[in-house]
């Protein structure tokens, strides 16, 4: 939507500057997309007077002029044929930028004579294409600003053009009057009322209007009248300049009037050459095979049922969108039928999309024109036609009736203040709505016809806030529900999630964010794919089910990276997984995968393939960081996507805290991944919360007594797990034994047995251990391990 500053002032009595207007428009929701201000390019130029002009000694077409300026007398060499003594000119000084020639002036020599500036032509200042000579002004004093002279004598040349962006919910701002109304409500001036005009008809209109019952809902009201004896031709200069400024091409007076009303008062109109209309005008649906050569020079074929305006010859106009060329007005038009109608917005939008026509009329009707202004708009346009083209108007003919859009909503001043967060007095709220055209009766606000977007009390709040300006809203801290130290904002689970993410990243993993839904085949590989997890309206065929695990997304990411040559990967994701479609069947997991080698190639042979112990170590590190108990068990009650014998669960009894190990080769083949993948999954919510809830760590317990370590080697069956042996040894004396760890394993003994060597660290608390006490604990360790594993102490 474009309009000039002077055009706006035709509707708004204001002293506000251009900058104040543009700032207010954006704040009101009418975002300013651009401002073209011709005066900004001319502000450096001043008026000067030629005192003397003599022939240049070395050039026939040049004159050396003495020019009186605001800085004293200057010498300027000029080649214009009208450069002569006594004329008032426009001076560009050294350092001024001349837009028409894209040059910044400097002092120069022309044929050996210095020139201190130039006297400009209209084309050089981009005022017109005139370049036959320099500008001669009929008035003005030396030193006056040229822009001030233009503002007083040729204001149209320095009239700024403002372009605003209109959101679909603001059809009222598609007319300059509507924009002025918002600015007046903000307090930037006084809105000038639209004239109340009634043009009496002096004869019955020979052209009548009929609305077919089939389209009565789409065409509620149609009005028009014949104006005979008009004299068409070029429109007045003021009207042409106003249309040209906003990018419209003047055509003739009658057409220019309709375009003017479209942008001035948001009232699209249409004029038919009455001599080319045969019979009455019928608003009806089109039939098969009908088409129309429109005013844009294109022929449109109508689908059956398209709403058109037709006479006995056939279609003459596409209702509410574009007229036909056959009945269009030309300079020879003498009698004209002027149309002003209201159309259903949905019907216009549907027809416009189907025909692929974008017109100013369609743009306004499909957003919702003011139905109550249909008849007054016709009267105002009639008066302008009579003023500019002469003629005699007939009586108004109508069909249908103006739709009743009367509705009201309750204004609750206290609720406005509560929702907006600003102290806006009730009187100011009511004044705001009144200025916007609302009619207030008690606490009821009746919505004007030009605001189809206001559909509830919440919209009243928005209007008050919009005019009051949310830029004035002051930030206020929320009141605390209780005094003292504020409680933590995050839940323990949220804190754990954040801590786990940070720890995984510090271990060298790159975080992935994948979709929460995957295809059915992948979901079935990981224990999902049931109807309970199926999405009713998936965004694609590859995203039909909620994910039962995080590993499918990570494995798909690994496959994509391998396809692009990245073979060594460390990826993790933290997010929800789903075991069903009901509340409570969602869990929070953190999963990570390792692919390829653990390091880059180097001369020290430090590069090796990742294995399950890498995944186990990382899982244990994250568990420790988020507060999992230090002592846990390993079991092998594994899901089907883990490699049997090369994976395990870190658990507290039946409660599995995490799973680590290799991914089953069958799963890797499905994803097309090369090599081995080790992974871990941590069930964050399964980790028990600490019994003592305190933000501080427990006190560090140290002993100043010497610790004692004893080594044991046991011969056990090959299937005995080292963890069984470690747990048995640690249980021999829980108070004295601080730690048990494996330091050696030897396989291939006679009978298929193996040797596992452990170290037990004994830490006394109250006194130094004697040899007898050490031997006693050692004997208990041997006894416990022998009983738990069936092994024997290696001699």
């Amino acid at each position: 939507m474009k309009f000039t500053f002077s055009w706006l002032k035709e509707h708004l009595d204001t002293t506000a500057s251009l900058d104040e207007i543009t700032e207010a428009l954006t704040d009101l929701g009418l975002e300013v997309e651009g401002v073209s201000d011709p005066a900004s390019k001319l502000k450096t130029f001043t008026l000067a007077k030629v005192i003397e002009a003599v022939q240049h000694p070395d050039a026939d077409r040049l004159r050396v002029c003495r020019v009186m300026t605001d800085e004293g007398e200057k010498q300027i060499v000029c080649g214009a044929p009208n450069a002569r003594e006594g004329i008032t000119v426009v001076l560009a000084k050294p350092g001024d930028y001349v837009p028409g020639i894209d040059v910044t002036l400097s002092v120069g020599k022309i044929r050996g004579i210095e020139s201190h500036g130039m006297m400009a032509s209209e084309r050089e200042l981009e005022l017109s294409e005139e370049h036959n000579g320099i500008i001669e002004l009929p008035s003005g004093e030396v030193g006056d600003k040229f822009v001030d002279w233009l503002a007083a004598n040729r204001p149209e040349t320095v009239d700024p053009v403002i372009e605003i962006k209109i959101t679909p919910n603001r059809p009222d701002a598609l007319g300059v009057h509507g924009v002025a109304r918002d600015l007046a409500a903000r307090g930037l001036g006084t809105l000038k009322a639209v004239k109340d005009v009634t043009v009496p008809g002096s004869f019955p209109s020979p052209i009548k209007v009929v609305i077919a019952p089939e389209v009565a809902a789409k065409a509620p009201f149609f009005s028009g009248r014949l104006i005979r004896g008009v004299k068409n031709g070029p429109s007045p200069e003021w009207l042409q300049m106003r249309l040209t400024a906003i990018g419209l091409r003047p055509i003739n007076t009658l057409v220019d009037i309709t375009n003017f009303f479209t942008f001035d008062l948001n009232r699209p109109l249409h004029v038919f050459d009455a001599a080319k209309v045969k019979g009455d005008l019928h608003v009806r649906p089109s039939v098969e095979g009908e088409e129309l050569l429109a005013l844009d020079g294109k022929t449109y074929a109508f689908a059956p049922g398209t709403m058109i305006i037709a006479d006995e010859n056939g279609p003459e106009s596409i209702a509410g969108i574009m007229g036909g060329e056959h009945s269009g007005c030309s300079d020879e038009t003498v009698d004209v039928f002027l149309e002003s109608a209201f159309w259903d917005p949905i019907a216009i939008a549907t027809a416009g999309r189907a025909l692929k026509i974008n017109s100013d009329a369609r743009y306004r009707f499909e957003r919702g024109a003011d139905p109550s202004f249909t008849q007054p708009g016709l009267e105002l346009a009639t008066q302008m036609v009579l003023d500019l083209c002469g003629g005699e108007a007939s009586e108004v003919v109508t069909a249908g009736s103006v739709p009743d859009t009367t509705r009201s909503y309750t204004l609750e001043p206290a609720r406005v203040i509560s929702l907006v967060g600003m102290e806006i007095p009730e009187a100011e709220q009511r004044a705001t709505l009144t200025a916007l055209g609302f009619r207030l009766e008690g606490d009821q606000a009746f919505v004007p016809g030009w605001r189809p977007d206001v559909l509830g009390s919440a919209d009243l709040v928005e209007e008050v806030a919009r005019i009051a300006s949310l830029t004035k809203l002051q930030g206020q801290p929320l009141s605390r529900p209780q005094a003292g130290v504020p409680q933590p904002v995050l839940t323990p689970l949220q804190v754990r999630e954040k801590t786990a993410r940070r720890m995984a990243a510090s271990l060298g993993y790159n975080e992935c964010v994948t979709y929460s839904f995957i295809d059915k085949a992948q979901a079935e590989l990981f224990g999902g794919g049931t109807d309970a997890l199926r999405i009713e309206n998936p965004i694609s065929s590859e995203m039909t089910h909620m994910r039962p695990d995080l590993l499918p997304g990570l494995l798909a990411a690994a496959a994509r990276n391998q396809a692009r040559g990245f073979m060594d990967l460390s990826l993790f994701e933290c997010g929800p997984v789903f075991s069903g479609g009901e509340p409570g069947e969602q869990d929070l997991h953190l999963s990570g995968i390792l692919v390829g080698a653990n390091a880059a190639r180097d001369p020290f042979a430090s590069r090796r393939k990742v294995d399950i112990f890498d995944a186990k170590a990382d899982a244990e590190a994250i568990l420790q960081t988020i507060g999992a108990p230090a002592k846990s068990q390993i079991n092998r009650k594994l899901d089907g996507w883990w490699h049997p014998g090369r994976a395990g669960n870190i658990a507290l009894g039946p409660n599995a805290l995490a799973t680590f190990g290799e991914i089953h080769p069958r799963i890797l083949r499905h994803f097309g991944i090369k090599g081995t993948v080790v992974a871990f999954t941590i069930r964050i919510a399964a980790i028990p919360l600490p019994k003592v809830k305190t933000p501080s760590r427990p006190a560090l317990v140290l002993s100043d007594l010497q610790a004692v370590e004893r080594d044991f080697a046991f011969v056990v069956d090959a299937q005995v797990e080292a963890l069984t042996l470690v747990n048995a040894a640690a249980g021999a004396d829980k108070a004295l034994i601080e730690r048990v760890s494996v330091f050696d394993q030897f396989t291939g003994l006679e009978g298929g047995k193996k040797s596992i060597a452990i170290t037990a660290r004994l830490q006394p608390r109250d006194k130094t251990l004697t040899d007898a006490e050490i031997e006693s604990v050692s004997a208990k360790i041997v006894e416990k391990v022998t009983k738990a594993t069936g092994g024997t102490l290696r001699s």
Side-chain angles (χ1 to χ4, degrees):
M1 171 69 182
K2 289 183 179 181
F3 53 89
T4 63
F5 195 27
S6 63
W7 194 346
L8 177 67
K9 288 185 176 182
E10 292 289 327
H11 295 274
L12 183 69
D13 186 3
T14 181
T15 57
S17 66
L18 177 63
D19 289 341
E20 290 174 325
I21 292 292
T22 54
E23 184 178 348
L25 285 172
T26 297
D27 192 37
L28 288 165
L30 307 176
E31 182 182 352
V32 176
E33 294 195 301
V35 178
S36 175
D37 187 5
S40 63
K41 299 182 294 183
L42 306 174
K43 60 184 179 182
T44 61
F45 304 119
T46 57
L47 304 192
K49 191 166 187 176
V50 180
I51 300 173
E52 181 184 52
V54 299
Q55 185 70 40
H56 193 290
D58 294 328
D60 293 338
R61 296 186 178 182
L62 297 179
R63 293 177 184 271
V64 180
C65 302
R66 286 193 302 119
V67 181
M68 180 57 68
T69 73
D70 58 339
E71 297 177 354
E73 191 175 304
K74 300 288 184 180
Q75 179 175 276
I76 298 176
V77 179
C78 181
N82 62 330
R84 64 187 186 277
E85 178 182 336
I87 64 173
T88 302
V89 297
V90 179
L91 175 67
K93 303 173 185 177
D96 290 348
Y97 174 74
V98 183
I101 57 176
D102 192 24
V103 168
T104 299
L105 296 181
S106 61
V107 177
K109 280 190 176 182
I110 302 177
R111 296 290 183 94
I113 296 181
E114 279 193 353
S115 181
H116 297 262
M118 67 176 287
M119 295 177 286
S121 69
E122 291 209 354
R123 191 170 74 179
E124 287 165 340
L125 299 185
E126 294 186 339
L127 295 175
S128 71
E129 292 302 313
E130 179 61 42
H131 194 55
N132 292 328
I134 58 177
I135 299 173
E136 294 184 39
L137 300 180
S139 61
E141 299 296 329
V142 172
D144 289 351
K145 292 287 187 182
F146 181 48
V147 290
D148 295 338
W149 188 92
L150 288 173
N153 297 276
R154 295 172 58 187
E156 69 281 355
T157 59
V158 289
D159 196 4
V161 178
I162 305 170
E163 182 176 6
I164 60 176
K165 181 178 181 181
I166 306 298
T167 53
N169 67 318
R170 290 298 307 279
D172 61 299
L174 289 171
V176 181
H177 187 77
V179 176
R181 183 187 298 112
D182 268 16
L183 291 169
R186 172 57 67 87
L188 289 181
T190 303
L191 182 68
K192 299 179 182 179
V194 177
K195 294 180 180 179
D196 186 10
V197 174
T198 301
V199 179
S202 57
F203 62 94
S205 172
I207 300 177
K208 303 296 188 295
V209 177
V210 179
I211 299 176
E214 299 91 333
V215 295
K218 300 178 181 180
F221 183 63
F222 189 109
S223 65
R225 73 193 321 164
L226 186 78
I227 306 174
R228 66 188 180 191
V230 300
K231 185 178 180 181
N232 200 12
S235 57
E237 184 179 0
W238 69 266
L239 181 53
Q240 291 192 38
M241 295 190 67
R242 191 157 287 185
L243 297 178
T244 302
I246 63 173
L248 294 181
R249 178 176 59 88
I251 298 173
N252 55 54
T253 304
L254 291 170
V255 174
D256 291 351
I257 287 172
T258 63
N259 287 334
F260 173 77
F261 272 85
T262 297
F263 285 86
D264 188 59
L265 296 173
N266 191 27
R267 173 33 42 194
L269 305 165
H270 184 61
V271 283
F272 297 89
D273 188 333
K276 300 174 183 177
V277 176
K278 184 177 182 181
D280 295 332
L281 292 176
H282 294 260
V283 183
R284 61 172 176 81
S286 63
V287 298
E288 185 71 39
E290 285 189 315
E291 61 183 23
L292 175 70
L293 175 61
L295 289 172
D296 61 358
K298 299 179 181 179
T299 299
Y300 295 95
F302 301 127
T306 302
M307 186 167 59
I308 61 172
I309 302 174
D311 61 2
E312 294 179 9
N313 293 322
E316 294 291 356
S317 174
I318 308 171
I321 298 177
M322 186 174 290
E325 190 172 281
H326 170 259
S327 58
C329 294
S330 65
D331 290 349
E332 289 74 36
T333 299
V334 176
D335 298 334
V336 62
F337 186 84
L338 179 61
E339 165 215 325
S340 179
F342 177 75
W343 313 99
D344 176 64
I346 301 300
I348 297 302
T350 302
R353 278 195 288 267
L355 295 170
K356 295 183 174 61
I357 300 178
N358 292 309
S359 66
D360 292 326
R362 175 201 163 181
Y363 188 78
R364 285 158 174 78
F365 280 130
E366 70 183 0
R367 283 159 174 78
D370 180 9
S372 63
F373 192 64
T374 305
Q375 192 69 32
L378 176 68
E379 299 287 354
L380 285 167
T382 301
Q383 186 63 59
M384 182 174 282
V385 171
L386 296 177
D387 292 342
L388 300 183
C389 301
E392 184 183 8
S394 75
E395 297 171 354
V396 175
V397 293
T398 63
S401 61
V402 177
D404 183 9
T405 59
T406 304
R407 60 193 186 281
S408 68
Y409 303 104
T410 303
L411 174 65
E412 303 175 65
R415 184 167 181 260
V416 173
I417 295 173
S418 173
L419 291 177
V420 177
M422 294 169 58
E423 286 295 332
I424 307 174
E426 180 180 350
E428 183 179 337
Q429 296 181 30
R430 298 177 71 88
T432 292
L433 293 177
T434 301
L436 290 173
F438 292 79
R439 178 168 54 87
L440 293 171
E441 293 183 5
D443 64 350
Q444 293 297 303
F446 288 81
V447 183
W450 58 79
R451 292 303 301 270
D453 58 308
V454 177
L455 297 172
S457 296
D459 292 325
L460 301 180
V461 178
E462 182 182 351
E463 290 303 298
V464 173
R466 188 172 62 86
I467 300 302
S469 181
L470 293 179
T471 59
K472 299 178 182 177
L473 188 64
Q474 299 293 324
Q476 298 290 336
L478 292 173
S479 58
R480 290 169 55 185
Q482 58 188 20
V485 178
Q487 296 296 316
V489 175
L490 301 179
T491 65
L493 186 61
Q494 290 172 325
V495 173
R496 281 185 172 177
E497 178 184 354
K498 182 178 69 172
T499 305
R501 287 177 187 271
R502 181 169 295 180
M503 186 61 190
S506 69
L507 291 170
Y509 288 81
N510 294 306
E511 185 172 8
C512 296
V513 179
T514 64
Y515 284 106
S516 296
F517 18 87
I518 57 178
D519 65 44
K520 182 177 182 180
Q522 290 184 7
E524 289 175 341
L525 291 175
F526 290 85
T530 62
D531 288 342
L533 291 172
R534 185 172 61 84
I535 299 170
E536 287 293 335
N537 187 25
I539 61 176
S540 78
S541 60
E542 297 177 349
M543 298 179 179
T544 57
H545 286 72
M546 301 303 293
R547 63 185 178 192
D549 202 278
L550 297 176
L551 290 174
L554 293 175
L555 293 173
R560 289 193 297 271
N561 277 274
Q562 283 191 342
R564 289 159 177 80
F566 299 98
M567 307 305 292
D568 300 335
L569 303 168
S570 303
L571 308 175
F572 87 94
E573 180 173 8
C574 185
V577 297
F578 305 88
S579 57
E582 299 297 326
E585 296 180 329
Q586 174 180 323
D587 202 4
L588 180 64
H589 285 186
L590 186 145
S591 294
I593 63 171
L594 293 168
V595 186
N598 70 324
R601 292 185 295 177
D602 59 32
F604 311 107
S606 58
R607 179 179 171 88
R608 62 171 177 80
K609 290 187 176 298
V610 294
D611 56 30
I612 64 170
F613 297 106
D614 293 311
K616 181 174 182 288
D618 292 341
E620 288 177 336
I622 296 174
L623 286 171
Q624 182 182 7
T625 303
I626 61 179
K631 294 185 178 181
S632 58
Q633 301 85 43
I634 303 292
N635 65 55
R636 294 188 177 176
K637 297 178 181 179
L638 300 169
D639 295 310
W641 53 91
W642 297 99
H643 195 303
R646 298 183 185 177
N649 292 319
I650 302 174
L652 293 175
N655 181 22
L657 307 183
T659 304
F660 67 91
E662 288 186 17
I663 301 297
H664 200 289
R666 169 177 55 88
I667 305 295
L668 301 183
R669 285 194 297 272
H670 176 86
F671 285 91
I673 297 177
K674 301 173 184 177
T676 301
V677 176
V678 296
F680 63 85
T681 293
I682 296 174
R683 300 166 183 86
I684 297 178
I687 300 168
L689 295 171
K691 295 180 180 179
V692 179
K693 297 181 179 180
T694 173
S696 60
R697 294 183 178 183
L700 178 64
V701 179
L702 296 176
S703 176
D704 55 357
L705 300 176
Q706 180 69 41
V708 179
E709 292 188 354
R710 286 291 183 266
D711 296 341
F712 304 88
F714 293 93
V715 177
V716 296
D717 292 335
Q719 67 271 19
V720 174
E721 298 174 346
L723 183 64
T724 304
L725 192 148
V726 170
N727 289 339
D733 191 328
K734 295 182 179 179
L736 194 57
I737 299 175
E738 183 182 64
R739 183 177 68 248
V740 178
S741 58
V742 177
F743 69 88
D744 186 36
Q745 178 177 281
F746 182 77
T747 59
L749 297 179
E750 184 179 350
K753 294 183 177 294
K754 63 181 179 181
S755 171
I756 299 178
I758 62 173
T759 291
R761 180 181 175 88
L762 312 180
Q763 178 62 64
R765 301 296 177 185
D766 52 359
K767 66 175 184 174
T768 303
L769 295 175
T770 63
D771 289 343
E773 289 172 333
I774 295 173
E775 291 301 328
S776 174
V777 173
S778 299
K780 289 180 181 179
I781 291 174
V782 173
E783 179 185 356
K784 286 280 188 180
V785 172
T786 300
K787 183 177 181 181
T789 65
T792 59
L793 187 65
R794 186 177 179 185
S795 56

